[in-house]
Amino acid sequence: MRIDIITVVPELLESPLSHSIVGRAIKKGLVEIHVHNLRKYGKGPRQQVDDYSYGGDAGMVIMLEPVYNMIQELKAEREYDEVIYMSPDGEILNQNISNELSLKENIIILCGHYKGIDHRIREHLITREISCGDYVLSGGELPAAILADSIIRLIPGAISDETSALSDCFQDNLLSAPVYTRPANFNGWEVPKVLLSGNPKLIAQWQEEQSLERTARLRPDLLKK
């Protein structure tokens, strides 16, 4: 898989995409991540990529031309399955979306900044808009890192024990069962005895019951799905 991220602040993506599971997946050659500075196509000595909004609204808007030129340059080298814009009014990111995108070959992620992007970019260049929640951040860089992480950890080989990803929260629209590790008793706080039983069938039954109970109590909306 290859992920190209277009941003005006590439420095914000350096650390999140260099460590842990994502960093190891890159080193293994399972994924390529290329971060592109939009200012490459900026205008003038300041490499300007934003301008005032028509209509007089406050805030600067990312211009159409540099985004168009950057995307055209990338598309000239390969075909892309999706051109994604990280937007607060896009579809809310969930596990099903991450599962779907993890099967793609090439993805472009455009990070918004300032007041947003010229709407013609969304009309003519973007194939999908994704939000990481109903709130506004300074830019799309952190949401892009979240999206990339959620996709990459699903690629076979990214996690040493691939079954671990299959038991994550939301994979079956349920919250995960509680997890414990040693010691089995700390200050009188004990691990449920069923987990110490060594009986896989009883453990699986307990985990399923706990998963359903926690989902019904904490996220009943998921059960409707």
Side-chain angles (χ1 to χ4, degrees), residues 54-197:
Y54 281 127
D57 291 340
M60 304 294 282
V61 177
I62 288 182
M63 301 158 66
L64 167 60
E65 188 174 359
V67 175
Y68 175 85
N69 289 336
M70 176 66 75
I71 291 178
Q72 291 303 111
E73 176 186 305
L74 293 173
K75 284 186 172 181
E77 298 175 356
R78 69 194 57 82
E79 292 185 4
Y80 285 88
D81 302 292
E82 298 279 9
V83 180
I84 299 169
Y85 173 50
M86 303 307 300
S87 167
D89 53 3
E91 57 183 322
I92 301 295
L93 177 63
N94 59 36
Q95 193 62 42
N96 289 334
I97 294 174
S98 298
N99 290 342
E100 177 189 344
L101 292 176
S102 72
L103 301 176
K104 305 295 186 181
E105 291 292 330
N106 300 309
I107 296 172
I108 294 174
I109 303 176
L110 173 63
C111 303
H113 218 76
Y114 313 119
K115 188 67 175 178
I117 63 175
D118 188 302
H119 196 72
R120 289 169 291 183
I121 299 170
R122 302 171 75 169
E123 291 178 317
H124 300 286
L125 301 176
I126 300 300
T127 64
R128 191 165 194 173
E129 300 190 7
I130 296 177
S131 168
C132 65
D134 293 336
Y135 49 87
V136 177
L137 296 173
S138 300
E141 288 76 20
L142 297 181
I146 290 172
L147 177 62
D149 187 292
S150 74
I151 294 170
I152 292 167
R153 67 190 313 279
L154 296 170
I155 298 174
I159 298 177
S160 55
D161 181 358
E162 294 179 14
T163 60
S164 175
L166 298 177
S167 61
D168 285 342
C169 278
F170 309 116
Q171 277 293 5
D172 49 7
N173 279 329
L174 296 174
L175 300 183
S176 296
V179 293
Y180 301 85
T181 189
R182 292 179 288 186
N185 187 320
F186 179 79
N187 285 346
W189 305 338
E190 297 185 356
V191 172
K193 289 183 172 53
V194 64
L195 296 179
L196 309 176
S197 68

Side-chain angles (χ1 to χ4, degrees), residues 26-67:
I26 294 172
K27 290 179 181 178
K28 289 180 181 179
L30 301 175
V31 63
E32 294 181 36
I33 300 180
H34 300 269
V35 178
H36 306 274
N37 191 337
L38 184 60
R39 294 191 184 279
K40 173 183 178 180
Y41 284 105
K43 292 185 176 182
R46 294 181 58 250
Q47 297 179 296
Q48 182 180 355
V49 296
D50 61 321
D51 208 336
Y52 294 104
S53 171
Y54 281 127
D57 291 340
M60 304 294 282
V61 177
I62 288 182
M63 301 158 66
L64 167 60
E65 188 174 359
V67 175

